[in-house]
Amino acid sequence: IDVNGVRVRLWHGEDVGSYAISYRLQKLAESFSGGEKPGVLLCGHTHKYGTIFERNIHITSLGSIQYQSKWMRMKRLSAATGFCIITMGIRDAEVVRYSAEFYPFYK
């Protein structure tokens, strides 16, 4: 997706988790070669919330709108249930300000 000249990539989660949310996000950042790097990477279907800035990429794992399922409970996986509002400042096709605010849902 192009947002005012900034490449925003969407990534659909593939695995059930790693020992740290930031580890998965760092590995995703490492997987891009120089010319393919997005300015922003949004990760979905991870059921985790986290945001980091790695290799000049703003990366956010967006959480989940579904509470922990029976399967997740059985696998001892938590769900960060809620949503994010992301605000970006863009100047000359570069992200100059980025914030991701997580709004959790509580039962």
Side-chain angles (χ1 to χ4, degrees), residues 67 81 103-107:
Y67 289 110
T81 310
Y103 294 86
F105 296 153
Y106 299 105
K107 281 190 173 186

Side-chain angles (χ1 to χ4, degrees), residues 27-95:
K27 288 303 192 184
L28 284 168
E30 290 172 8
S31 71
F32 295 107
S33 62
E36 296 177 343
K37 287 191 331 182
V40 175
L41 176 62
L42 303 177
C43 306
H45 199 202
T46 60
H47 298 264
K48 308 291 182 214
Y49 168 72
T51 188
I52 66 170
F53 183 67
E54 184 75 25
R55 291 190 67 218
N56 224 22
I57 306 169
H58 297 276
I59 307 169
T60 300
S61 180
L62 300 166
S64 173
I65 58 170
Q66 174 187 331
Y67 289 110
Q68 183 188 45
S69 67
K70 289 180 183 178
W71 182 85
M72 290 176 72
R73 192 171 307 115
M74 181 181 71
K75 294 290 186 179
R76 297 185 182 101
L77 299 170
S78 64
T81 310
F83 65 95
C84 281
I85 294 181
I86 295 173
T87 306
M88 288 189 291
I90 298 172
R91 184 179 329 126
D92 299 327
E94 290 198 29
V95 179

Side-chain angles (χ1 to χ4, degrees), residues 8-45:
V8 177
R9 289 198 61 169
L10 308 176
W11 180 77
H12 182 270
E14 299 167 348
D15 54 13
V16 293
S18 53
Y19 71 92
I21 296 164
S22 63
Y23 179 78
R24 172 192 288 170
L25 302 180
Q26 289 169 344
K27 288 303 192 184
L28 284 168
E30 290 172 8
S31 71
F32 295 107
S33 62
E36 296 177 343
K37 287 191 331 182
V40 175
L41 176 62
L42 303 177
C43 306
H45 199 202

